[in-house]
Amino acid sequence: MSTAAAAAFRRDGYLLVRGMWSVAEVQAIRGAVARLLEGGAGASGVRVFAPQRTPPDLLRVCTNDPLRAAVRTILGPRVEFLSVKPAVKTMQVTAASPWHQDWPYWKGAHKVSAWIALDRADAGNGCLRIVPGSHCRAWAHRRQDSPEGFGNRVSEDAVVAEFGAAALRSVPVEPGDVLLFHDQLLHGSHPNRNGRDRWSLIPTYRDASVPDDHVLAELWRAPIALQEPS
Ligand SMILES: O=C(O)CCC(=O)C(=O)O
C-alpha cells in the first residue's frame, strides 16, 4: 500500500483492500474463528477479545503482514493491536447493524479497525454500509439497550438528512477483502435476509505515539506492539 492509499484513507475515512488473503488463508482464519466461537456468537453476533484471550493463530493474523503493513501505512510505525471482534451474521443472527461510529464506545485517541471478510457479503446477507467522508466529526449517538447489542446508534433518517441518500454506500466484498476504517466513520450493515453466512473478523489498532485517554481500561490493559518487519 502506498502513501496515496494513506491520503485516500485520510480523505474518505476508509480504504478497501481487495484480496488481502487467499482462499486457503481465509479458510484457515475462518476455522480459527469457528473454534473461538464454539461457545456461541451471542444474540448480537459480535464478541470482543482482548489480546490475552486471542488464540495464537488469530493473534498472528492480527499482528503480522499483510495486515501489519496495511495498518502501518495508515497509522505510522508505532502501531499497537488492541482487541479483536468476530462479527457474524447467520440464519440465526439476522438483524442489521445500526448506523454508528465506533469512537463513542472507546473515546480517546482515534483508532483504525480492519473488517476482514471471511465470506462473500452483499446486500442480501448483511454486507457493511458506510458513508465515505463521515469520519470528520463526532456524532451524538442515541443510547439503546438491546439484546442485539449496538448500544450507541444514529438513525438512518439523521444520516440521510446530513449526507443525502446517495452518499450511503453498500460495501459488497469477497472472502479475503479488508475494509480499513477510522473510528468516526459512520457504518452499519444490511440485515441478513437470505441466511447465507456473513462472517467477519475485526481487529482494532492505534498509534502508540498518541496519548490515549480511552475508557476500555480492562479490555485494553495489555496492547501488543506490532514488531518492525524483518
Ligand atoms: O459487521 C457488522 O455488521 C458491524 C460490526 C460493527 O460495526 C462493530 O462491531 O462495530
Side-chain angles (χ1 to χ4, degrees), residues 46 85 87 89 97 100 102 115 128 150 187 189 198 200 202:
V46 180
K85 301 183 280 202
K89 295 195 189 300
S97 308
H100 66 283
D102 286 339
W115 196 100
L128 279 187
F150 297 102
H187 63 287
S189 81
R198 190 236 67 178
S200 61
I202 319 176

Side-chain angles (χ1 to χ4, degrees), residues 96-134:
S97 308
W99 288 105
H100 66 283
Q101 298 173 319
D102 286 339
W103 188 84
Y105 291 95
W106 303 338
K107 318 283 190 202
H110 287 302
K111 318 286 184 305
V112 169
S113 294
W115 196 100
I116 306 170
L118 301 178
D119 290 305
R120 172 175 295 176
D122 53 33
N125 67 339
C127 73
L128 279 187
R129 306 171 75 199
I130 61 171
V131 183
S134 58

